[in-house]
Amino acid sequence: QGNEITAIVRARRERQAELQRWREVFRQAPAPIAVLRGPRHAFEFANDAYLHLVGGGRELVGRTVDEALPEVQNQGFSELLEGVYRSGEPYVGAGATVKLERSAAGPVEERVLDFIYQPMHDVTGAIDGIFVLVTDVTERARAESALRLTNWQLGEERARLASTVGAEQRARTALRRVTET
């Protein structure tokens, strides 16, 4: 019986060590990751990248999304989470604009995010949480916007040059006619 207890204790320790390894892997992941639990969407876990995205000074774990990130309450994200929790269907968002207060006294920042809300199930198959994976695409969105503006400006310049060339050709034709007569 002593050997059985030792084996059980060893198995528990190994399981705890494995869980701790996975927790560390997710903590160090370069993409923002969070785990929300329950119908109120309380943070169970948020990795370093997620904390950096929303503002590192916040206390997230144990608080609901609405409590921890009050500025997102009226931006539609809580409704999306509700839909995923009720339906069990994942939600993939692309190019969503979110306004975040990343520092207590700082301005509200607009970020552009791609994200996935993936429902999580307990051992009975019931939904008990949502896995959140985010990619901050703000800089890419800004670069694309600048590129669109540049392309528009080039188009305008091309049209202006074409108009100038046309006017110059008409003037040469008129001058040629005058000199021929």
Side-chain angles (χ1 to χ4, degrees), residues 22-60:
W22 280 110
R23 186 171 282 278
E24 194 59 21
V25 165
F26 280 109
R27 188 188 67 73
Q28 295 178 20
I33 295 171
V35 173
L36 308 174
R37 289 289 182 190
R40 294 190 61 229
H41 317 300
F43 282 95
E44 179 179 292
F45 174 82
N47 74 351
D48 295 348
Y50 193 94
L51 293 171
H52 177 73
L53 172 67
V54 300
R58 297 187 198 230
E59 193 61 43
L60 299 182

Side-chain angles (χ1 to χ4, degrees), residues 100-118:
L100 294 169
E101 285 181 30
R102 297 180 73 199
S103 63
V108 172
E109 288 184 42
E110 231 178 58
R111 307 302 294 175
V112 180
L113 308 176
D114 291 347
F115 63 96
I116 299 170
Y117 290 159
Q118 180 68 42

Side-chain angles (χ1 to χ4, degrees), residues 33-45 65 80-91 116-133:
I33 295 171
V35 173
L36 308 174
R37 289 289 182 190
R40 294 190 61 229
H41 317 300
F43 282 95
E44 179 179 292
F45 174 82
V65 171
L80 292 174
L81 288 166
E82 277 301 312
V84 170
Y85 197 84
R86 275 195 319 271
S87 72
E89 295 294 319
Y91 181 86
I116 299 170
Y117 290 159
Q118 180 68 42
M120 297 171 54
H121 300 85
D122 64 16
V123 294
T124 68
I127 296 169
D128 71 341
I130 298 174
F131 179 83
V132 179
L133 175 64

Side-chain angles (χ1 to χ4, degrees), residues 54-74:
V54 300
R58 297 187 198 230
E59 193 61 43
L60 299 182
V61 175
R63 299 177 73 197
T64 67
V65 171
D66 288 343
E67 292 167 347
L69 306 170
E71 70 272 23
V72 303
Q73 280 183 6
N74 297 319

